Amino acid sequence: MKKILKYLLFLPIITLLWSCEKDENKDFFEGGTPPTLSASSTDPLVLTIAEKDNPAFTLSWTNPDYKFTTGLSSQNVTYTIQIDTTGSNFTNPAIAEIAVPNDLSKTLKVGEINSKLLALNLAEDMPHVVEMRIKASLSGGAGVLYSNVIQKTITPYLDVLYPVPTSLYITGAATPASWQCGCGEPELLSQKFTKVSSSKFEITIQLNGNSSYLFIPVYGSWAAKYGGTGANNSNNPNGDNFKPNGGDMISPAASGLYKITVDFKTGKFTVVP
C-alpha cells in the first residue's frame, strides 16, 4: 500500500516533467525574409509567334529562409510568379500565375508569357506595362511572403485556335433567312457578324427556338463552315466550343432576340438573350 501511495505522489511530477519536455520540443514558425526578385532584362519586349518556343527572359529570386525555433525550414517551398496589369495591385480576377516548386529561377518562353498576357485580356500588337512579383509559401499555403515588384513593357501577338476569317455570317433554320441556298445569292447584311476585335465577331439577331444553324465565312458558299464539336445539335444552346467543318448547332429553346459572340482565339461561342 505504501508503494502504491508513493507511486501516486510521484506521478504528477513525472507528468509535469514530460509536459515541459514536450513543450520545449515544439517547433514554432518564426517567419522569413521576403524574396528579392530580379529579371535577366527589363528592356521592352516584342513577342512574335515565330519565336514562341524561344526563351523570352529569366526571373530569379532569393531564398526567403523560412525559420522555425529549431532552425531553418527543411520543408518544401512553393514559388508562384504573379503577373498583372499595372495599377491592379495584383487584385485582377484574371491575374496570371505560374507555379515554380522548389526553385529560385524560371525562364519564361515567348509562347508561355504571351498566353498569360492574352489571358489578362490585353490587346495584341500593342505594348503593355505589366507587373511581376514572387509569392513564396510553405506546404499548405502557410507563411506567405511577397517579393518586390518588377515592371516590364511587353507587346503580345495574336495567337488563335483557328485562323480568323475576313467575314462571318450565320445561316440556318434558326435564322430569319433560313438556310442559304448556295446559289450565289448576295450577301445578307442582316445575317452578317460585326468584327469587334482581332479574333472576335458579334451579331444580335432574332432566333427561332430549338432550331439549327451554322457559321460561314462567305454567304452563299458551303466551301467553309464552322459548327459544333460533337454530333449535330448536341451543343449547349447557350454557348459551347466550335470547330471548322463542325456539325449543326441548336439554338435556345425559346425564340427571341439573342446576341451571339464567336471568338476564334478560344474556339468558343456564346448565345445570350
Side-chain angles (χ1 to χ4, degrees), residues 31-37 61-67 79 134-136 143-149:
T33 304
T36 300
L37 176 65
W61 52 92
T62 58
N63 193 320
D65 290 330
Y66 285 109
K67 293 181 175 63
Y79 301 100
I134 293 294
K135 174 185 175 182
V144 174
L145 292 172
Y146 294 100
S147 73
N148 56 301
V149 176

Side-chain angles (χ1 to χ4, degrees), residues 196-210:
V196 295
S197 75
S198 55
S199 65
K200 189 179 296 183
F201 294 83
E202 290 181 352
I203 188 173
T204 299
I205 191 170
Q206 185 76 23
L207 293 179
N208 299 318
N210 203 34

Side-chain angles (χ1 to χ4, degrees), residues 27-62:
D27 196 7
F28 294 98
F29 178 59
E30 293 187 330
T33 304
T36 300
L37 176 65
S38 60
S40 58
S41 172
T42 54
D43 294 336
L45 180 63
V46 178
L47 307 177
T48 63
I49 193 169
E51 299 177 322
K52 65 178 182 179
D53 295 323
N54 295 346
F57 56 90
T58 299
L59 294 176
S60 303
W61 52 92
T62 58

Side-chain angles (χ1 to χ4, degrees), residues 248-263:
D248 292 356
M249 297 176 292
I250 197 73
S251 64
S255 298
L257 194 65
Y258 290 88
K259 178 181 179 181
I260 304 175
T261 303
V262 182
D263 194 345

Side-chain angles (χ1 to χ4, degrees), residues 61 65 106 111 122 126 128 133 154 158 249 269 272:
W61 52 92
D65 290 330
K106 169 71 174 179
L122 299 181
M126 291 180 58
H128 302 276
R133 71 179 181 183
I154 307 178
L158 175 62
M249 297 176 292
F269 70 96
V272 180

